[in-house]
Amino acid sequence: MNTRTESHFTHIDPDLYAKAFELLDPTPEPNAPAASAAPAPASFILAAPPVRLTGAVEKTLTDALNFLDTHGWAKHRLIHPEGARCSIGALRAAAGARNAAYEGAGNLLLDEARRQHGNQWESIPSWNDSHSGAQVRSVWEAAIRCAHHMNI
């Protein structure tokens, strides 16, 4: 095998980085000398860790649980006269419309309800009406964790 590697590196002006950083941050440091003959040492910008955005399903589930915490949880009716809602009512309030986030959140919530309480549940309202507030909250919290881990 006759592989030739030729290294033709272009010389870089050492002041180039200092000039680039000056362009990126043109404000002089307080009490810094105006101009010096020697080039300033290059400063390093440390990148922040990537920000994880909350997915639409996770946000819908979180907002719905916050709604239940704020307005109350109800059984056997979508909206109680005093403002409390059942799980599906809270999902509708949080999503604002029957959109993809609403559907995804509902599917994830029902999947978690079935995982914790058995596969016999056909709908969120039937599951909601058959369990205690603590059991319902446990399912909500697990569904939110699942959406977070799935990044949805």
Side-chain angles (χ1 to χ4, degrees):
M1 176 185 269
N2 291 334
T3 304
R4 291 182 0 183
T5 57
E6 296 179 18
S7 299
H8 296 286
F9 292 100
T10 304
H11 174 71
I12 303 279
D13 178 9
D15 294 333
L16 181 66
Y17 290 108
K19 291 174 189 173
F21 284 115
E22 283 178 24
L23 291 173
L24 290 172
D25 186 18
T27 40
E29 292 182 17
N31 300 328
S36 62
S43 59
F44 294 95
I45 298 175
L46 298 176
V51 176
R52 184 194 164 281
L53 299 176
T54 302
V57 171
E58 180 184 356
K59 181 177 181 346
T60 300
L61 288 166
T62 301
D63 290 350
L65 183 57
N66 288 336
F67 187 94
L68 291 174
D69 288 342
T70 303
H71 299 298
W73 171 71
K75 282 185 171 187
H76 306 294
R77 52 178 46 188
L78 186 66
I79 304 172
H80 190 272
E82 294 177 9
R85 293 195 180 205
C86 71
S87 291
I88 199 73
L91 269 179
R92 289 180 183 171
R98 291 186 183 187
N99 53 27
Y102 168 80
E103 291 176 13
N107 289 334
L108 200 57
L109 187 65
L110 187 56
D111 287 347
E112 186 58 34
R114 289 175 176 156
R115 192 186 71 68
Q116 287 189 28
H117 301 289
N119 289 328
Q120 71 272 23
W121 305 109
E122 295 293 322
S123 67
I124 292 171
S126 63
W127 159 76
N128 180 86
D129 295 347
S130 300
H131 292 86
S132 70
Q135 290 170 318
V136 169
R137 182 172 192 83
S138 172
V139 169
W140 275 97
E141 290 171 347
I144 292 168
R145 283 191 304 274
C146 184
H148 178 82
H149 291 301
M150 293 172 67
N151 201 26
I152 58 173

